[in-house]
Amino acid sequence: MLAAPAAVIGPSSAGAELPATPALLSSLGLTPDEVAQIEAGKLVRQSLPPASERELTAALAFQVPVSPAQLVEASKRDLLDRVDANMIAFGVVSSPGLPADFAKLTLEPDPAKRTQAYVGAAPGGDLNLSSKEIAAFHALGDSATPGVVEAAVRSALLERVGAYRTRGLAGIEPYALADGETRSPAEELRIATNASKALHQYAPAAFQLLLSYPNDKPAGTEEIFRWSHFEAHGEPTIVLTHVLLIPDGEAWIVAQRQFYVSTGYNAEQAIAAFLPAQGGGAVVVYGNRTSTDQITGFGGGTKRSLGSKVLSSQLESMFEEARAKVQ
């Protein structure tokens, strides 16, 4: 999940001169000792206050001996997807999107079990589906084959990509919950974006783009849509991701938005700033906000704290592997 990069920083998009990287890092709350550790090649974790009772957070900063532009090229090659041992398959979704883009997506492992999960899906069940999607899978019948259900899954994903591409957050269908309730990935992503105060301060154009996409794209912005199929906590999970690569002088902001997740959590937004380092290379400041209903209710504060620590540890391991590959 490239995670390239939700939450963090970036230089000003209003044309103001970017502060020297150490000064910028200090303004983001890093101590002089943490800045020194980053400059010495160490990866530093930061705390990131959750914006809701459903949010797990993680923040990291580190330096690499390649330029921000080279890191962007690595992002385009889905660097973190390639180093994630839990990845089953992934692919890029073309513009405007074709069924063939999802040709590698199957219901392996255990296609029979997963087929029945789709045709028997219910609001509030293990699968994140809209009411419309649940009805469409029910219409296939209990005797539907894995191949038939796979085709329906691909069709539903393609429709979600098209709706988001056209209408942005407003185009994301909410997940159906029990008792007629819903969970809106769009609202979770909006909460994550509004919580990114440093992004608003240092990169207002990128901040606005995340709220108003597909409108208000800064000049030079590139974007990638892709699907990923991976194991998360032992469960096969299908994700739709939108990556935005936004230039600002020599610096770049890379935003990754998981706007559909099939099971386990609701949505994820990650933002990284690739900043030119003094003497060459780049400093990466990364923040992640993941929405999940599994940490709400009694003991939610403890669950969030533990969950955020686990998330930080997992991301740190992935970034260490990715960092080794770009050095």
Side-chain angles (χ1 to χ4, degrees), residues 152-172:
V153 170
R154 294 172 190 146
S155 178
L157 295 173
L158 184 58
E159 185 172 340
R160 279 188 174 268
V161 171
Y164 175 80
R165 239 181 189 143
T166 302
R167 301 174 57 210
L169 294 177
I172 302 176

Side-chain angles (χ1 to χ4, degrees), residues 177-197:
L177 303 181
D179 301 321
E181 299 293 323
T182 61
R183 175 69 65 227
S184 170
E187 182 59 22
E188 300 303 294
L189 293 168
R190 190 175 287 109
I191 289 171
T193 300
N194 284 325
S196 304
K197 300 185 186 304

Side-chain angles (χ1 to χ4, degrees), residues 241-308:
T241 300
H242 181 211
V243 179
L244 286 162
L245 305 110
I246 308 166
D248 192 331
E250 293 183 47
W252 286 78
I253 294 172
V254 181
Q256 173 182 283
R257 173 175 275 175
Q258 294 184 359
F259 61 95
Y260 173 73
V261 183
S262 67
T263 189
Y265 57 104
N266 302 315
E268 177 185 296
Q269 183 163 279
I271 301 170
F274 298 165
L275 308 171
Q278 291 181 326
V283 171
V284 177
V285 185
Y286 168 91
N288 182 298
R289 294 180 181 272
T290 299
S291 166
T292 173
D293 288 282
Q294 297 182 13
I295 58 171
T296 59
F298 181 75
T302 300
K303 293 176 186 176
R304 280 194 298 277
S305 177
L306 293 175
S308 292

Side-chain angles (χ1 to χ4, degrees), residues 42-168:
K42 295 183 179 180
L43 187 149
V44 173
R45 292 192 197 185
Q46 283 187 284
S47 62
L48 195 63
S52 79
E53 65 176 359
R54 293 178 295 277
E55 201 171 73
L56 297 176
T57 65
L60 307 170
F62 55 91
Q63 185 165 325
V64 291
V66 297
S67 70
Q70 288 173 303
L71 282 179
V72 167
E73 290 305 312
S75 300
K76 293 178 185 178
R77 295 194 300 271
D78 304 328
L79 179 60
L80 292 186
D81 279 340
R82 297 180 188 277
V83 303
D84 187 353
N86 295 314
M87 190 62 61
I88 298 170
F90 64 96
V92 174
V93 183
S94 62
S95 180
L98 299 169
D101 298 333
F102 294 89
K104 294 191 297 182
L105 177 62
T106 72
L107 293 181
E108 296 284 353
D110 204 348
K113 177 182 178 181
R114 296 177 69 188
T115 292
Q116 288 305 305
Y118 274 99
V119 299
D126 291 337
L127 289 172
N128 290 331
L129 297 168
S130 68
S131 297
K132 175 183 173 182
E133 290 166 338
I134 290 172
F137 285 115
H138 284 182
L140 299 177
D142 292 340
S143 60
T145 65
V148 168
V149 175
E150 284 173 355
V153 170
R154 294 172 190 146
S155 178
L157 295 173
L158 184 58
E159 185 172 340
R160 279 188 174 268
V161 171
Y164 175 80
R165 239 181 189 143
T166 302
R167 301 174 57 210

